[in-house]
Amino acid sequence: MSAPSHTPVADSSDRSVPRVRVAPSPTGDPHVGTAYMSLFNLAFARKHGGQFLLRVEDTDRARYREDSEGQLYDTLHWLGVTWDEGPDVGGPFGPYRQSERLDTYRPVVERLIEQGDAYYCWCTPARLARVREEQQKAKSNVIGYDRFCLGKTAEQRAAEPDCAETPVVRLKVPDDVELSFTDLVRGPVSAPPPDDQVILKADGFPTYHLAVVVDDHEMGITHVVRGEEWISSTPKHRLLYKLLGWPEPAWVHMPLLRNTDKSKISKRKNPAARLTWFREQGYLPEALVNFLCLLGYPPIIEADGTEREVMTYAEFVDGFDFAKVNPAGPIFDLKKLDWLNGMKIRELPVGELASRLLPHLEEAGVLSGNPSLGELGRLKLVTELIQPRLVKLSDAAPLVAPFYVADDAVPIAEDARAGLKDDAGPILDAAIAALETVPQNDDDLLAATRPWNHQVIEEHLREALLDGMGLKPRVAFAPLRTAISGQRVSPPLFESMAIIGRHSTLTRLRTLRASL
């Protein structure tokens, strides 16, 4: 469906109420840069009572992926990003997909041609490549289109070689095009001179350079917030606003996210460039939001002058100012994200953390997709036990798994079995004898001691193994840890025994003893 000719144009003259947008292309998994840019756009809009728009730039049909748009909505919503207008929620200045706005661009192209500010070009890709190669060999100061088609009719051009059947339309860039502009992050900026860029492709779709200007004008965008890679394109975008007599927006070019080697982060080279990767790896959305906000932006300064990096998005919005953005490219340091994620995990209520662990435990096969009430109850106890040790949600599976296996079939890791010493048998015998005197619960009226809990378990085992056998804790408890979890490293031992219960604990100790 095309945009109707009577679509209203938003009024962008009142800059006190900002209208900002993010405009990703649905060409695969959403890029983490889309989330980064969305968070800064949204913060600016919310801080000043403005509107945040989501526009889908789907005119690159060669790379378009049908499932990508839905993935984009899903991942941004997972992060808590909401928009006031967009393809899925509508709005007064739609459509919000470029492919549905083709009738909007054609009249603008025709107007530019009539004004003499644009022209048809029939040059084939082969000729364009040859011209560029010749310019590079000659070390020309200008690399770009040589205006071979400028001023020619279709008939004149057809009489010459390397003529394509269907022309493109190029913007005629004057020699005195203004190259300097003011950026809200960087101050005065100068960009290199552009060549005559294509604004309408042979397939009838606009290029980014035309569509972004038309769409931003039609939707009343007051502040164009985008990555610094678009600085070089800003002169031709500003030129289009001037040629069309439209009010120019303010410009904000955010620093690019960079790998540790300072290269631009890309989906081809770094899996962390995929926004879906963070969900798969078990990062909390609030931790990723915190991390992305800190990229290029200072921590919160407390009243006593100290810095605080752990923050909520609401706190980020409350103090937001583009003047605080550091234009230097921030390094995408996953160690910092791991630290933030661990901090956010420890802030969660135990019940909520247990719920967030479920998808990862189901994916790892630790729990089924329909766990019983008993399994969920145990998970809450285990979650409380492992919460201080988690960096990511995906770390939980190996720690939780031993609590959901058959007591007589606990998988023993190779390194754990190899670590068992010759005294493992006597240690297990003494532990079994000590724990057999501990009752399961208060209903055991014949028991001579208090019921089964981690304090009582620890008291009995320390008395039997440390006092009775003269062992050091590391030596005494290693075989028990292997029996209970199958691992050399596990959640706290006595608390684990309390959770699985007396019968399961004794069964696991006896099973390992029988295998020695």
Side-chain angles (χ1 to χ4, degrees), residues 212-289:
V212 72
V213 170
V214 174
D215 290 344
D216 284 347
H217 168 68
E218 296 266 333
M219 296 178 185
I221 301 304
T222 61
H223 298 72
V224 173
V225 184
R226 57 190 182 183
E228 64 180 300
E229 72 268 35
W230 296 109
I231 288 177
S232 61
S233 298
T234 305
K236 51 182 166 271
H237 296 169
R238 296 184 71 227
L239 175 62
L240 281 168
Y241 279 104
K242 180 180 179 181
L243 295 175
L244 294 166
W246 294 342
E248 183 181 339
W251 303 100
V252 183
H253 289 92
M254 294 289 295
L256 289 179
L257 304 180
R258 300 193 178 276
N259 297 309
T260 52
D261 63 358
K262 305 296 180 68
S263 62
K264 177 182 174 182
I265 187 169
S266 71
K267 291 188 289 186
R268 288 189 299 274
K269 297 181 180 179
N270 189 341
R274 290 190 304 110
L275 194 50
T276 52
W277 180 84
F278 298 93
R279 198 172 187 173
E280 295 163 0
Q281 294 297 307
Y283 288 103
L284 300 180
E286 52 265 56
L288 181 56
V289 166

Side-chain angles (χ1 to χ4, degrees), residues 27 47 56-57 92 153 158 190 205 220 247 278 280 300 312 340 351 356 390 416 450 505 512:
T27 56
K47 171 75 173 180
V56 174
E57 299 192 345
T153 65
S190 292
F205 279 72
F278 298 93
E280 295 163 0
I300 290 176
T312 64
L340 283 169
R356 297 205 197 191
L390 295 180
R450 287 172 291 160
T505 295
L512 180 60

Side-chain angles (χ1 to χ4, degrees), residues 29-47:
D29 290 352
H31 195 284
V32 66
T34 298
Y36 165 67
M37 212 61 64
S38 296
L39 291 168
F40 280 77
N41 270 285
L42 180 61
F44 181 67
R46 295 294 177 258
K47 171 75 173 180

Side-chain angles (χ1 to χ4, degrees), residues 280-340:
E280 295 163 0
Q281 294 297 307
Y283 288 103
L284 300 180
E286 52 265 56
L288 181 56
V289 166
N290 194 158
F291 175 68
L292 292 175
C293 289
L294 285 173
L295 293 175
Y297 203 83
I300 290 176
I301 306 299
E302 301 284 28
D304 61 0
T306 59
E307 294 184 346
R308 174 165 59 89
E309 293 187 312
V310 180
M311 69 178 84
T312 64
Y313 187 62
E315 289 176 313
F316 178 68
V317 170
D318 186 57
F320 187 79
D321 186 345
F322 277 122
K324 296 180 181 179
V325 174
N326 185 346
I331 300 300
F332 206 82
D333 182 4
L334 289 179
K335 291 181 180 178
K336 170 64 73 66
L337 176 57
D338 286 346
W339 174 77
L340 283 169

Side-chain angles (χ1 to χ4, degrees), residues 121-142:
C121 171
W122 291 266
C123 291
T124 63
R127 181 184 184 277
L128 297 175
R130 189 169 63 250
V131 168
R132 179 173 290 271
E133 183 180 355
E134 291 170 356
Q135 290 172 339
Q136 290 171 339
K137 283 182 179 179
K139 297 182 179 180
S140 171
N141 292 329
V142 179

Side-chain angles (χ1 to χ4, degrees), residues 420-432 465 469 479-480 509 512-514 516:
L420 295 173
K421 308 300 182 184
D422 293 340
D423 57 358
I427 291 174
L428 289 167
D429 289 335
I432 292 168
L465 304 180
M469 298 180 69
L480 279 58
L509 295 176
L512 180 60
R513 178 65 179 94
L516 299 179

